[in-house]
């Protein structure tokens, strides 16, 4: 049985809103393509450019690029970001909007990032718009 995942409102390219289901999150990485792009496949070792919103499960938004008005770029698939991003975004197509539900062992683990509002053990949910790769 598939895990219950948050509902995502908002069109690709705009700031999404998450509505969480009752119950606990999955303890596995959950990846759902909300809108499939038609660009190149993301490969490990590339720099990926994304817009994103990050929210703790049943918690508040801790970061998003939409409010800043600029996307970010970083190496993907090489350990430069949390494992849930590396595992969930490699192999996706540019132009896609992807929902990632990342258990703590693939996120920030038991330490969390308290200054960002991420508690130890938090499951993180991201909505990621893949803008490009290079």
């Amino acid at each position: 049985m598939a895990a219950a995942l948050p509902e995502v409102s908002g069109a690709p390219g705009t700031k999404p809103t998450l509505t969480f289901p009752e119950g606990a999150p999955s303890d596995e990485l959950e990846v759902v393509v909300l809108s499939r792009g038609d660009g190149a496949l993301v490969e490990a070792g590339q720099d990926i450019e994304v817009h994103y919103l990050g929210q703790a499960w049943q918690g508040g938004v801790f970061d998003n690029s939409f409010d800043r008005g600029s996307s970010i770029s970083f190496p993907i698939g090489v350990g430069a970001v949390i494992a849930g991003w590396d595992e969930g975004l490699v192999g996706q197509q540019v132009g896609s909007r992807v929902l990632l539900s990342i258990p703590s062992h693939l996120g920030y683990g038991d330490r969390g990032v308290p200054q960002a509002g991420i508690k130890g053990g938090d499951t993180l949910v991201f909505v990621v718009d893949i803008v490009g790769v290079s």
Side-chain angles (χ1 to χ4, degrees):
M1 181 173 128
L5 293 169
E7 275 187 37
V8 180
S9 304
T14 65
K15 182 179 175 180
T17 302
L18 296 172
T19 305
F20 288 84
E22 295 296 320
S26 172
D27 59 0
E28 301 295 324
L29 175 66
E30 301 286 342
V31 181
V32 178
V33 177
L34 301 170
S35 173
R36 187 168 307 282
D38 59 6
L41 291 180
V42 175
E43 297 178 27
Q46 291 181 312
D47 282 344
I48 187 172
E49 181 182 353
V50 301
H51 264 298
Y52 68 94
L53 177 131
Q55 188 165 348
W57 189 272
Q58 297 287 17
V61 172
F62 55 81
D63 193 14
N64 85 87
S65 63
F66 296 96
D67 287 351
R68 288 192 298 273
S70 64
S71 57
I72 64 164
S73 297
F74 50 86
I76 194 71
V78 295
V81 292
I82 60 174
W85 279 56
D86 278 345
E87 292 180 26
L89 296 178
V90 170
Q92 301 295 340
Q93 282 184 274
V94 172
S96 296
R97 173 168 270 199
V98 181
L99 173 70
L100 302 172
S101 179
I102 302 175
S104 67
H105 70 276
L106 296 175
Y108 294 104
D110 292 335
R111 73 183 187 280
V113 183
Q115 66 271 28
I118 301 169
K119 297 187 299 292
D122 272 354
T123 292
L124 307 177
V125 179
F126 290 92
V127 178
V128 181
D129 289 348
I130 304 173
V131 177
V133 290
S134 57

